[in-house]
Amino acid sequence: MRRYFEASYFGAVLFVSFAGAGALAAPAPQGLALSVDKPIAVNADSFLADLNGETGTYSGNVIVTQGEVKLHADKVMVVAPGGKASRLEAQGHIVVDSPSGQALGDNATYEVTNQVLKVTGKVVLTKDNNVMRGTALEVAMDTGLARMTAGA
């Protein structure tokens, strides 16, 4: 099943190498296109539309693609008033693949208006041999600034 939304909500996830806990903020690597103007495709085993609430819930092997960035999840709910995506909520076994690396987590949200992606739970970032672990990752998709936090 394939659905397209007008709004862009997935740009890129940024990665840097970091040892230790705490918080980290880093700019995007040079040449990384955020792909926010690319069309969005959602593929899943099933789709349930709530036309009154203007939401769509995808479940089973969900893959959200925009440009070269892909988000995999067990379940994704897209809030789309008037057919335009404003918020994405992903649950279960989150994997975000981008040309700059990979992020794993338990849950993710994307606020389209603010262009902020948040991955929470047991978050693991990898790029080549570099690994960073934490409990929350926040990426400002428009500026390419990422913040990773660890602990409560």
Side-chain angles (χ1 to χ4, degrees), residues 10 12-15 70-72 93-98 100-108 117-120 122-127 132 137 139 148:
F10 239 152
V13 175
L14 320 172
F15 300 92
K70 290 185 179 183
L71 174 130
H72 302 256
H93 302 100
I94 305 301
V95 178
V96 180
D97 284 314
S98 77
S100 62
Q102 184 180 74
L104 307 175
D106 298 322
N107 299 292
L117 169 69
K118 295 178 184 178
V119 180
T120 59
K122 294 179 182 176
V123 180
V124 179
L125 298 175
T126 58
K127 175 160 176 62
M132 185 182 348
L137 169 68
V139 181
M148 174 75 126

Side-chain angles (χ1 to χ4, degrees), residues 21-43:
L24 168 72
Q30 292 297 320
L32 180 62
L34 294 179
S35 303
V36 295
D37 59 341
K38 304 280 184 182
I40 298 165
V42 180
N43 294 293

Side-chain angles (χ1 to χ4, degrees), residues 42-100:
V42 180
N43 294 293
D45 292 339
S46 66
F47 174 71
L48 176 63
D50 177 359
L51 301 178
N52 293 326
E54 298 181 317
T55 62
T57 302
Y58 298 86
S59 57
N61 302 307
V62 182
I63 302 172
V64 179
T65 306
Q66 184 177 33
E68 294 180 311
V69 179
K70 290 185 179 183
L71 174 130
H72 302 256
D74 295 337
K75 182 178 178 182
V76 174
M77 183 181 74
V78 178
V79 178
K84 186 172 175 119
S86 64
R87 180 178 172 87
L88 175 135
E89 298 176 5
Q91 298 175 342
H93 302 100
I94 305 301
V95 178
V96 180
D97 284 314
S98 77
S100 62

Side-chain angles (χ1 to χ4, degrees), residues 3-4 9 33-34 69 77 91 110-111 115 133 135 139 144:
R3 296 271 192 232
Y4 292 93
Y9 57 84
L34 294 179
V69 179
M77 183 181 74
Q91 298 175 342
Y110 184 71
E111 295 291 339
Q115 295 183 340
R133 299 177 194 281
T135 56
V139 181

